[in-house]
Amino acid sequence: MQTTLEYLRAALHKPVTYMLAPPGGHTWDTGDYAALPVTIRDGRRMADAPALDREGFQLCSAPSALRAPHDFREREAIQRVYYREMEDLARAVTGASRAIVFDHLVRRRDPGTLTPFGARDGRRPSTATRVHCDFTPASAQRRLALEMEAHGIEHVARFAILNLWRTTRLPVLDAPLAVCDARTVRREDLVAADIVYPTRTGEIFEVLYNPDHAWTYFHAMQFDEVLAFKQYDSAAGMPCYTPHAAFAHPATPADTPPRESIEIRCLLIFD
């Protein structure tokens, strides 16, 4: 399908996005962005299903013991049950010797316009429509150091960070998630950017437009499916950065309920 995604237009300065009211009356975003045309293919129609170690993403069959959508509104159930399920899945699809879930985010899109990174000024997380990757080399190393200290890990030869994304309502017709084939992303397309939260600042990659970017989504994702995609990999020759963003599907029926979803971030350690 033909649609648009929100890209960074220039990289003259490090972009900063505030998730709370910025100080001194500054703008919420210091970057320059534009909705630019892209083609997004349906991964269900591809002859060869995308693979985590090739394109950088993979659709997985992954039933959960949690009930949708109610159990996904309970943090305790998510941490007690869902974290373990996703660690098992992450090890199974990657061959990692250890998987550690360190974060999750439940998104419920606010009706109306889509928003760049969802949560702002204390509001609940909505969909994130700006093309981005969740980690840079620096922030990935910081996350590794935090988890090594927390879990008493002394040495790591190779590590990766995986995002595991699932709908908590059926099916995904509103604001689906598109992922970019990591092989079509040049290092110079990626621009380090700061996301400022009330208690911390995170570093991610925002992305400059490149007509070679190859975008995929999976039509009407079901509750028992998980989209796994790489956010970092320290191994040379492996997919490392998989840009992603929600988008407005032009064929979404007008009465479609707003999308609800959960994403898990998981550290992988390889022997």
Side-chain angles (χ1 to χ4, degrees), residues 135-144 159 192 203 205 232 241:
F135 288 89
T136 66
S139 56
Q141 289 289 343
R142 283 197 293 271
R143 172 51 60 180
L144 174 65
F159 77 102
E203 187 179 74
F205 274 136
Y232 184 79
Y241 305 111

Side-chain angles (χ1 to χ4, degrees), residues 21-44:
H26 293 297
T27 179
W28 287 80
D29 297 289
T30 66
D32 183 16
Y33 305 95
L36 296 170
V38 295
T39 299
I40 303 179
R41 300 182 298 166
D42 183 357
R44 297 189 190 278

Side-chain angles (χ1 to χ4, degrees), residues 78-100:
I78 292 171
Q79 294 178 331
R80 177 174 50 83
V81 177
Y82 195 60
Y83 277 23
R84 179 68 61 86
E85 292 178 343
M86 293 299 96
E87 289 171 346
D88 291 344
L89 175 63
R91 284 194 302 272
V93 297
T94 66
S97 55
R98 187 166 183 178
I100 301 170

